[in-house]
Amino acid sequence: GINSAMPFFLLTGPFMCSFVSNRFFKFFGAAFTLLVGLAVIVVSWMFPEWVTVPPGESVVYLDISVNYLLFGAALFGTCSYAVQAYMNECHQKDELLKKIEDQSRRDDLTGLYNRRYFVQYLEDVVWQNRDGFYVVMFDIDAFRQVNATYGRIFGDSVICAVSRQIGLGVCGDIGERAIRFSGETFACILKADSEIEAFSKADQIREMVANLQWEEFPMLHVTVSGGVIPCVTGDSYDKRTIVRMVDDLLFAVKRKGVNQVKIFTGLSFS
């Protein structure tokens, strides 16, 4: 009965465990332990003859000491479990939020970054230090003919294959990004120390795409054309103007031919 600390110390563990349990056991466990504890008090009060009387004061202190140690261990284990459960739940929530955020940045078909992320990245990263950054835009040459000849399902596989090559041509560790801008049009943000290096990187991507082959259609030859514009510090162009300029440059390039890359030098492209 109440002559021993054991019932109350032992009931505290299940009571605390109820806080980290499911909804049913949470209320059941809390109510059960409270009722059992109350029953111990009532029995000790109403039926003292049912309660064992300790033989001496030293036994009471021994009882309290032993149960205090047991209660401390139970409390430590319960709190550790509760804290770990909370941390695991927070970690799972963070992972889920990161996954959702990453999916919102990605194109569903190709897995490249989407147009919304492209504009946001220009604003948040590139425009903070424009020197060394270049915007590139590629377009698959005669893609409508590919769709008309081989079908849209195969056309999607062509887009995916081209996107993989473009993705391989950029290095995310230095801040470069590959984007599916729209349809068969792709954009890249490249980092280079000079216009020559930027042109070389863009032209290397063009060559990677030109080397693609398809076993089911060995005669198919897919190419891209592209335009490169530097994000130079000090000019009066804003982000949207740069995107419009590189888009205009791309179509100017395509009017002069296919499977080629040109770079904007300030007055013209070469």
Side-chain angles (χ1 to χ4, degrees):
I2 60 173
N3 293 317
S4 173
M6 182 179 295
F8 304 105
F9 282 137
L10 293 182
L11 290 172
T12 304
F15 181 77
M16 296 187 64
C17 288
S18 66
F19 288 101
V20 293
S21 303
N22 58 47
R23 185 174 182 180
F24 172 77
F25 185 77
K26 177 182 296 185
F27 295 103
F28 174 79
F32 177 77
T33 52
L34 289 175
L35 289 175
V36 172
L38 181 61
V40 171
I41 298 174
V42 171
V43 169
S44 300
W45 177 27
M46 302 297 295
F47 306 99
E49 67 275 8
W50 293 4
V51 177
T52 301
V53 180
E57 185 178 357
S58 60
V59 176
V60 174
Y61 283 109
L62 178 62
D63 174 76
I64 294 175
S65 300
V66 172
N67 285 285
Y68 178 76
L69 293 176
L70 292 176
F71 169 71
L75 180 63
F76 175 79
T78 304
C79 293
S80 298
Y81 173 79
V83 171
Q84 187 62 43
Y86 174 75
M87 292 178 63
N88 289 340
E89 185 176 352
C90 290
H91 178 71
Q92 293 175 359
K93 182 179 179 180
D94 290 341
E95 290 295 322
L96 179 60
L97 290 176
K98 289 180 181 178
K99 184 177 180 179
I100 293 175
E101 183 180 5
D102 185 67
Q103 288 178 344
S104 69
R105 296 174 174 179
R106 299 283 181 175
D107 174 65
D108 293 335
L109 178 63
T110 64
L112 297 182
Y113 289 108
N114 56 30
R115 183 172 179 173
R116 180 176 59 182
Y117 175 82
F118 171 53
V119 176
Q120 194 66 41
Y121 189 78
L122 282 176
E123 180 177 352
D124 295 342
V125 179
V126 175
W127 237 245
Q128 306 303 319
N129 183 19
R130 286 185 279 172
D131 286 335
F133 280 106
Y134 293 79
V135 177
V136 187
M137 192 166 287
F138 293 103
D139 191 76
I140 302 177
D141 298 321
F143 183 70
R144 290 184 179 180
Q145 184 177 349
V146 174
N147 271 342
T149 304
Y150 302 99
R152 292 186 178 275
I153 301 298
F154 182 77
D156 286 345
S157 68
V158 171
I159 290 178
C160 291
V162 171
S163 69
R164 284 193 293 270
Q165 298 301 96
I166 294 176
L168 291 173
V170 302
C171 179
D173 294 338
I174 61 174
E176 297 182 339
R177 294 291 187 270
I179 300 99
R180 186 187 182 193
F181 192 77
S182 64
E184 66 271 21
T185 303
F186 303 86
C188 291
I189 297 175
L190 300 180
K191 193 78 180 292
D193 294 329
S194 65
E195 293 183 353
I196 295 177
E197 182 183 356
F199 174 81
S200 177
K201 283 187 173 184
D203 198 56
Q204 183 179 12
I205 294 175
R206 178 196 61 78
E207 290 182 357
M208 292 169 62
V209 173
N211 292 329
L212 283 172
Q213 294 181 346
W214 284 266
E215 294 182 0
E216 60 270 43
F217 302 111
M219 299 301 295
L220 176 63
H221 184 57
V222 176
T223 61
V224 295
S225 297
V228 185
I229 287 187
C231 302
V232 182
T233 302
D235 59 29
S236 58
Y237 301 139
D238 59 16
K239 299 174 287 298
R240 297 187 181 278
T241 302
I242 288 291
V243 174
R244 179 182 56 78
M245 289 177 62
V246 72
D247 186 52
D248 292 344
L249 174 60
L250 170 62
F251 283 97
V253 171
K254 290 178 71 68
R255 283 196 297 267
K256 292 181 176 292
V258 296
N259 194 24
Q260 57 183 326
V261 173
K262 301 294 183 180
I263 186 168
F264 184 78
T265 59
L267 298 176
S268 62
F269 62 89
S270 58

